[in-house]
Amino acid sequence: MAIVLTPLKALWRKKILIKRWLPLDDAQWGKLNLLKTLVQRDLEARYKGSILGKLWPLLNQVSQLLIYTYVFGVVLQLRLSLVGLPEDNSFVFGLWLFAGLLPWLAFSGGLSQAATSVISQSNLVKKVVFPLALLPLVPILSTFIESTFGLMALITFVVLATQKLHPTLLLLPLVWLPQLCLTAGLGFLTAGLSVFLRDIPQTLGVILNLWFYATPLIYPANMIPQPFQSWVFWLNPMAAIGELYRDMILTGTVTHWSEWAVATIVSILILLGGFWCYRKLRPAFADVL
């Protein structure tokens, strides 16, 4: 009995410590637990019935990393000079490319699914007691969790290539903050508008394609003309987020703190604005659907 109670006591103490750091009331804790359950259910539903099950997110991310490395590093023979990484290694450009694409894939994938989260769950919208604010967050968090498998694969390959594990990896949560705020803010906005304008998901796909090529992800930022470089970083939070991923994972040095600060402020403002619009539109969801 003592063996069973010991881990239960540890979990209980951990829960008490979390509650001290997050002063939420019972209703807010209930919504947080519901969000956790919905995310778990969404992740399980994506691979339900498959033989490999939860291994698919890892395999998908690793396959993308290997494809990028093969196409750009082996076939096209593209080389990139980064501090602490071997210049003649064909894997370097693939690692660099995947490090920038990793946050973008989580951002674009989560946002695209969040845009249709309300219209695809009309049965939940009509339930008075269901907290509708959780609907856009579920695909965003699910996609973000899936991207962590790619992050682990990337870190593993970087360690194999450099024989180093950079301490700047501990700073990654600072980059996740603007990334999640930006995705959630735009997710709330597009999810609310999609109820009334069904062209929003298709329009979003076009905007994301243009946004992708306007962000220095598949090309170095120094290729952008000098007069426009600062504007790209100040107005495009994903540009700063992609560069910070590369700094913290590949080189172990952070050179974009000012860009991170601006990206964080812009992302928080977008989150507040998107959530405000969502709340204003929410009372009419049930009538339209």
Side-chain angles (χ1 to χ4, degrees):
M1 181 65 68
I3 297 176
V4 177
L5 290 177
T6 299
L8 291 177
K9 290 180 179 179
L11 290 174
W12 178 254
R13 291 173 182 173
K14 185 177 180 180
K15 186 175 181 180
I16 293 176
L17 289 175
I18 293 175
K19 285 190 174 183
R20 288 178 180 176
W21 284 100
L22 296 176
L24 304 177
D25 55 32
D26 292 338
Q28 291 171 328
W29 275 109
K31 292 180 181 179
L32 194 61
N33 290 329
L34 177 59
L35 177 61
K36 176 184 175 182
T37 302
L38 292 173
V39 171
Q40 289 177 341
R41 189 182 68 176
D42 183 57
L43 289 172
E44 292 174 355
R46 295 187 182 193
Y47 307 99
K48 186 177 181 180
S50 61
I51 297 176
L52 297 179
K54 296 181 180 180
L55 286 177
W56 275 115
L58 177 61
L59 294 177
N60 289 333
Q61 299 286 346
V62 172
S63 64
Q64 291 183 18
L65 174 57
L66 295 177
I67 289 172
Y68 293 141
T69 301
Y70 175 74
V71 172
F72 292 96
V74 178
V75 177
L76 298 179
Q77 294 292 318
L78 296 178
R79 295 292 183 268
L80 196 68
S81 178
L82 294 175
V83 178
L85 292 175
E87 296 184 10
D88 297 332
N89 196 326
S90 59
F91 287 95
V92 171
F93 191 88
L95 295 175
W96 175 86
L97 181 62
F98 188 69
L101 289 176
L102 197 58
W104 175 265
L105 294 174
F107 164 72
S108 60
L111 179 56
S112 299
Q113 295 177 50
T116 59
S117 60
V118 176
I119 59 179
S120 63
Q121 300 285 344
S122 57
N123 58 325
L124 294 178
V125 174
K126 297 176 183 179
K127 292 183 178 181
V128 180
V129 297
F130 187 83
L132 297 181
L134 301 183
L135 289 180
L137 296 178
V138 173
I140 291 173
L141 293 177
S142 297
T143 307
F144 175 77
I145 292 173
E146 283 189 341
S147 71
T148 59
F149 290 95
L151 177 62
M152 291 186 292
L154 175 62
I155 294 173
T156 301
F157 278 92
V158 171
V159 171
L160 293 176
T162 63
Q163 303 298 316
K164 294 179 182 178
L165 186 64
H166 299 299
T168 50
L169 292 173
L170 298 175
L171 299 176
L172 278 174
L174 296 178
V175 190
W176 296 338
L177 172 64
Q179 178 184 338
L180 289 174
C181 288
L182 177 65
T183 313
L186 295 177
F188 279 123
L189 178 63
T190 54
L193 293 177
S194 295
V195 176
F196 306 94
L197 300 172
R198 297 303 174 93
D199 293 331
I200 293 296
Q202 289 75 20
T203 305
L204 180 62
V206 176
I207 294 175
L208 286 175
N209 284 333
L210 297 175
W211 194 342
F212 174 75
Y213 289 104
T215 307
L217 298 174
I218 59 175
Y219 54 87
N222 56 19
M223 293 184 66
I224 303 174
Q226 190 63 35
F228 299 102
Q229 283 189 22
S230 58
W231 287 102
V232 169
F233 279 104
W234 296 117
L235 299 178
N236 185 358
M238 288 307 301
I241 292 171
E243 289 299 311
L244 285 166
Y245 262 73
R246 287 164 173 162
D247 286 349
M248 296 177 180
I249 298 173
L250 299 180
T251 62
T253 58
V254 183
T255 58
H256 297 87
W257 282 116
S258 57
E259 290 85 350
W260 170 82
V262 173
T264 302
I265 294 173
V266 171
S267 300
I268 292 176
L269 292 176
I270 291 175
L271 173 61
L272 296 176
F275 186 66
W276 179 83
C277 292
Y278 187 83
R279 290 187 61 185
K280 289 294 182 180
L281 298 173
R282 184 172 55 187
F285 286 172
D287 297 332
V288 176
L289 295 175

